[in-house]
Each structure stands twice: as C-alpha cells, then as structure tokens.
Amino acid sequence: MKNEHYISHLFKSYKNFKHKSGFKKRNYFKERKIAFKKVSKNLNVSYCSLFFDYLCCLLFLGENWQFYLLNEMYKYKFSEKRKRLTVLRAFNLDYKYNKYATDEERERLNNKSNFDKSYQSFTKREFILPKESKKDEIINFIKKHQKVFCKPNRGTEGNSCEILSFEDLTDEKLESLLRSNYLLEEVIEQHEIVAKLHPNSINTVRIFSIIDKSGNVHLMHPCLRAGIDGNIVDNVFQGGILYLVDLETGKVTSDGIKLGEAKKYEIHPGTDIKMKDFQIPYFKEICDMIVKAALVTKSLRFVGWDVAVGKNGPILLEGNIAYAATVNGDHGIYKEMKQYLRK
C-alpha cells in the first residue's frame, strides 16, 4: 500500500510538471542530444561514453540530463556521485519529509497566486489572476503599473513568462488573459548592484530551508542565478547562469555554470564583473526572511526558496518542493540534508 501511494504521488507530481511547465511545448529529447554533443566535444570524449554515464546516473541515482550536466556528474567516480542531491532524491525528500502537509498547504507553493496570498508579507508586490477578475480590473491593474510580469499560475523552469506593457495590451490579448491560467504581477525593481549583472531579468538567490524534528530552521546551499543575452528570466533552463554562494558571508564562491557547455565563467557574460567574491546585498536579511517564511507552513520541512534582491531589501518570489533539485558544487549535499531532516 505504501509503494502504491509513493507511485501515485510520483505520477501526480510528474503529471503536474509535464502539463504545467511547458513540457509539451519543448522538445527535450532534441535539447538533450544537442547539449550532450556540445559537452562531449568540449570535453573531448565520445558522445556514447558520456551518454552511457548519464544513463547510469539516471537508473541508479535518479538524475535527469539537465542536472547531470549542471552538476558535472561526468567528472566524478560513482562513490562521489552518490553524495549528490539528484532530482529523484529531491522528490524522495519531499515525499518523506513533507508528507504531513495537506493538499491545501502544498497548494500554497504549487499555485503561484496562492503563494502570493499566503506569503504576502514577504512577496511585497501586487498581483492579479485574470481568470478570476473582470476586464476593467485587469486593465486598471496593468495601467497602474504600466508594465507587469506575466507567468503561468503553475509552472517550472521559467517557461512561458513575458513582460506585458499597457501600451501593448490589445483586445485580443485581454481576451486571451481572461481564458488563461496566467498570473500578472507588479514588476520588481531590483537592487542596482544585482541589476548590473543583467538588468533585463530579475536575478535571484535560491536557498534551501530544512525544518528539523524540533522545529528549528536550517538554511543550506545558497546560489545566485543571473540572466544573460537579454532574456527576461534567470533560470538555467532558459539560458541563465548559476553561481554558488557562501552561506555565512553571502559572497559568490564559484565561477558561473551554464547548462550544456562544460565550461566555467569567471566573468559574467556581457559585463566586466568578476564573480568570485561578488557580494549579494541584504544577504543577512534574505536569510532572516527565509527562516520566517519557512515557519509559515511548518509541515513543509524541505523547501527551495527563490528570492529577489529589491532596492530596499529581499523580496520572496516562490517556494519549490517536489522539484527542488539544485547544483551541488564540488561536495555533495544529500547526506547533510538528510542529517538535518532526521534531527
């Protein structure tokens, strides 16, 4: 019965991901082939040997192809690979340690409009759900802010997001919004230091919270994500770059990692900014906010949070549960995460 419940939970989460994250609109098999060919060329190894190593990680560790490449799994022996948080392991942590959360509590994170309502003291921005609103309300909302961020109310990987300006709002677009399951949000004005990396996107911090059995919140494994090439999102699956960050200081500790390239970026592309030791503004305030946000729904013990750095402090964007995988860096974080959860 327990296995049936697990399989049902896995299928339900995958179905959510497939249908609500743009899965149908992208050819992941083609993307994977292109990425592996590029990486094998850069590494000067055969495509077949690289792909076989990936299949072993998929079968024995549950890693998908994107995080296999981002985590540079091909560099490590199997004993080292086992220490890493993979996509399936992130799902398992969610299944095991978030299982006492009700469907309503999980929906606070899975549904972005519910998230904005439940965590409004941390999100600090206005929003509107068009399908639950009248035409005049939508028009007035966009007119008030002039530009709004438009994203699927459910979704992952930064798919199908756009900036919508009031002057581009046509009758056809308005009707489309009324029929859609999109969320409109006030555009965030980010801190000028973070904006220098890439002003077209909101460049964010991802940080994990873990609540132990005693109710104490532990923060783990922060990273900074930044856009490039004019993209409006910073997600690595949409071409963004990721940097590891020191939890104590809030300074970048690594060169940049980009999906499907097998090379590191010392300088952030399009700038002259050397990223190692780059100081994230308001980092202490970011950590303090995440601790408070984690305690809003204590039954969700394992969450990956995305935070923007606003002009006057941190702004919470969203929380991730079932698909809260990440880049591990040189040292695997899976064992450490389990130790906190078991405390």
Side-chain angles (χ1 to χ4, degrees):
M1 190 68 181
K2 183 178 179 182
N3 288 338
E4 288 179 5
H5 181 63
Y6 175 82
I7 293 169
S8 173
H9 186 64
L10 178 62
F11 178 76
K12 184 178 178 182
S13 294
Y14 172 74
K15 191 176 179 182
N16 256 353
F17 173 74
K18 179 178 177 181
H19 291 288
K20 296 167 182 173
S21 67
F23 184 93
K24 285 187 171 181
K25 298 177 183 178
R26 297 173 62 182
N27 189 334
Y28 279 81
F29 297 105
K30 184 178 179 180
E31 287 182 26
R32 183 179 67 188
K33 186 176 181 180
I34 292 170
F36 271 77
K37 280 189 173 181
K38 189 173 183 179
V39 171
S40 63
K41 183 179 179 180
N42 289 343
L43 293 174
N44 197 27
V45 299
S46 75
Y47 174 90
C48 291
S49 64
L50 183 68
F51 196 77
F52 178 76
D53 187 62
Y54 152 67
L55 288 178
C56 291
C57 288
L58 174 65
L59 292 171
F60 295 108
L61 300 174
E63 187 65 293
N64 73 2
W65 70 268
Q66 294 106 321
F67 280 104
Y68 170 84
L69 295 178
L70 285 168
N71 278 308
E72 302 175 302
M73 296 286 265
Y74 44 79
K75 290 186 354 183
Y76 304 104
K77 296 180 180 178
F78 190 75
S79 59
E80 286 298 313
K81 291 174 180 175
R82 289 180 61 189
K83 298 177 182 179
R84 278 154 172 74
L85 178 72
T86 65
V87 169
L88 183 61
R89 284 173 163 181
F91 171 84
N92 287 339
L93 292 178
D94 169 53
Y95 174 77
K96 186 172 182 179
Y97 296 105
N98 292 340
K99 63 183 177 182
Y100 295 112
T102 64
D103 287 344
E104 181 183 349
E105 288 172 329
R106 293 182 69 86
E107 278 295 280
R108 292 178 187 172
L109 272 65
N110 290 332
N111 182 302
K112 297 185 189 301
S113 60
N114 284 351
F115 182 85
D116 282 354
K117 292 172 189 174
S118 302
Y119 295 86
Q120 200 162 19
S121 61
F122 306 111
T123 58
K124 302 173 186 175
R125 61 190 180 276
E126 295 183 351
F127 65 93
I128 190 171
L129 194 62
K131 73 173 186 178
E132 295 179 1
S133 308
K134 297 177 181 178
K135 281 187 180 181
D136 288 346
E137 292 174 328
I138 300 170
I139 292 170
N140 290 335
F141 181 82
I142 300 175
K143 185 177 182 180
K144 176 183 177 181
H145 298 291
Q146 289 301 302
K147 287 185 179 181
V148 296
F149 191 72
C150 183
K151 64 183 181 183
N153 197 31
R154 293 175 181 271
T156 60
E157 300 184 358
N159 281 304
S160 304
C161 297
E162 63 174 312
I163 299 291
L164 177 63
S165 65
F166 180 68
E167 57 190 34
D168 294 331
L169 182 63
T170 62
D171 291 339
E172 184 181 356
K173 184 65 177 179
L174 184 59
E175 290 295 333
S176 174
L177 287 172
L178 286 164
R179 294 191 302 268
S180 73
N181 191 27
Y182 272 71
L183 177 68
L184 305 183
E185 294 179 325
E186 174 186 356
V187 173
I188 293 168
E189 190 173 358
Q190 64 184 332
H191 195 286
E192 59 179 6
I193 290 176
V194 180
K196 283 180 181 177
L197 298 177
H198 188 252
N200 295 69
S201 62
I202 300 300
N203 308 308
T204 61
V205 176
R206 163 67 67 88
I207 187 167
F208 284 91
S209 70
I210 291 175
I211 302 178
D212 64 28
K213 291 180 179 179
S214 300
N216 301 309
V217 179
H218 304 271
L219 302 184
M220 281 192 67
H221 201 64
C223 59
L224 173 66
R225 304 178 302 182
I228 61 170
D229 297 333
N231 289 339
I232 64 165
V233 292
D234 64 349
N235 195 286
V236 289
F237 299 117
Q238 303 296 333
I241 291 188
L242 182 145
Y243 304 91
L244 300 179
V245 173
D246 182 76
L247 182 61
E248 299 299 321
T249 65
K251 290 184 178 181
V252 169
T253 59
S254 73
D255 292 331
I257 306 165
K258 194 172 184 291
L259 178 61
E261 293 206 349
K263 68 178 184 179
K264 299 294 180 70
Y265 290 83
E266 183 181 355
I267 307 294
H268 187 72
T271 74
D272 58 357
I273 301 173
K274 188 175 181 180
M275 289 305 295
K276 277 190 178 178
D277 291 326
F278 177 86
Q279 178 66 59
I280 298 172
Y282 295 118
F283 189 75
K284 182 181 183 302
E285 288 81 358
I286 289 173
C287 294
D288 292 343
M289 185 182 72
I290 293 304
V291 170
K292 293 175 183 176
L295 294 173
V296 170
T297 311
K298 295 180 182 178
S299 55
L300 293 172
R301 297 178 54 200
F302 170 65
V303 179
W305 304 92
D306 295 338
V307 185
V309 186
K311 288 184 69 177
N312 301 310
I315 300 170
L316 189 61
L317 295 183
E318 62 181 48
N320 303 272
I321 39 180
Y323 289 92
T326 190
V327 173
N328 287 251
D330 290 332
H331 305 288
I333 59 174
Y334 182 55
K335 185 177 179 181
E336 186 181 358
M337 282 185 165
K338 286 202 301 182
Q339 286 175 341
Y340 280 129
L341 286 162
R342 288 171 176 171
K343 276 187 177 182

